Amino acid sequence: FEAAMEHNRAALGLAPALREARINLGLALKGLGRHGEEVENNRALADDYPDAPEILNNYAMALVEWARRKDAGASATASLEEAVGLMERARSLDPAQAEFRYSHAKVLEDLGRDGAALDVLDGLLSQTPERFDARFMRGVLRLRTGDCDGGAEDIQWRWRNPEFEHQRRPFSH
């Protein structure tokens, strides 16, 4: 990641407006755990490209990573709230992008907005019903909100994924 960061900074030295190098710099900073710099890089990108959903989502995810740090303190909630707004904007610009919906649901869950997260997951699963991660998350949220049958059904869905077959254990009665 160190080399990637240096190469992208060199490219930006030659062409400061090079969008791809700025995106890649943010990814390199993320990989290095330099979340403060990643947030600033992605904020500047979002300011320059306010109608680019992937950039808005990257900025939102940088804010989420920043908020999840142990020392984020009181600013964590504000960062998550800002991330929700960015994700809603990204989703409005590209409604077909399933990953934006999943990220949005995850942040809503972090904020304790289980009902809103369930709504987003319902929309995502109507679009891409085979998303095991979204089904599992929805199952956990359903259980948490008292929908035991729906939660169990969603959580059991994971057994349709061959990746989980090795984890399956027979139950004895």
Side-chain angles (χ1 to χ4, degrees):
F1 290 112
E2 208 47 67
M5 181 184 68
E6 293 308 320
H7 288 294
N8 285 295
R9 284 195 168 145
L12 290 169
L14 298 172
L18 190 59
R19 177 177 158 165
E20 199 61 35
R22 292 171 70 192
I23 292 169
N24 290 337
L25 176 60
L27 295 172
L29 291 166
K30 176 182 180 176
L32 291 168
R34 294 166 70 168
H35 298 298
E37 292 175 74
E38 177 196 7
V39 167
E40 290 309 313
N41 179 74
N42 290 343
R43 176 178 288 130
L45 264 166
D47 288 345
D48 290 345
Y49 301 98
D51 294 326
E54 70 282 357
I55 288 173
L56 296 174
N57 194 64
N58 285 353
Y59 177 32
M61 294 310 297
L63 287 170
V64 169
E65 291 298 319
W66 178 258
R68 289 182 178 157
R69 292 169 20 128
K70 291 178 186 170
D71 63 344
S75 67
T77 300
S79 291
L80 291 174
E81 293 288 355
E82 185 178 356
V84 166
L86 290 163
M87 289 173 171
E88 288 170 353
R89 173 105 173 102
R91 283 185 50 214
S92 73
L93 292 167
D94 188 356
Q97 178 53 263
E99 201 54 42
F100 295 169
R101 286 180 184 240
Y102 184 76
S103 300
H104 188 197
K106 205 61 189 127
V107 175
L108 290 167
E109 180 190 23
D110 287 350
L111 286 165
R113 297 185 193 158
D114 293 348
L118 281 167
D119 290 344
V120 172
L121 289 169
D122 288 343
L124 169 59
L125 290 167
S126 72
Q127 178 186 1
T128 54
E130 70 285 352
R131 286 283 305 247
F132 296 100
D133 54 352
R135 263 202 204 273
F136 189 82
M137 184 201 297
R138 187 175 74 173
V140 170
L141 289 170
R142 282 176 155 180
L143 290 172
R144 190 183 306 161
T145 58
D147 178 2
C148 295
D149 291 338
E153 180 184 327
D154 277 343
I155 288 174
Q156 290 300 316
W157 185 271
R158 75 184 181 280
W159 300 124
R160 296 180 188 193
N161 185 339
E163 290 181 35
F164 292 113
E165 190 58 41
H166 73 281
Q167 296 176 0
R168 193 173 194 129
R169 304 286 183 266
F171 289 99
S172 60
H173 299 295

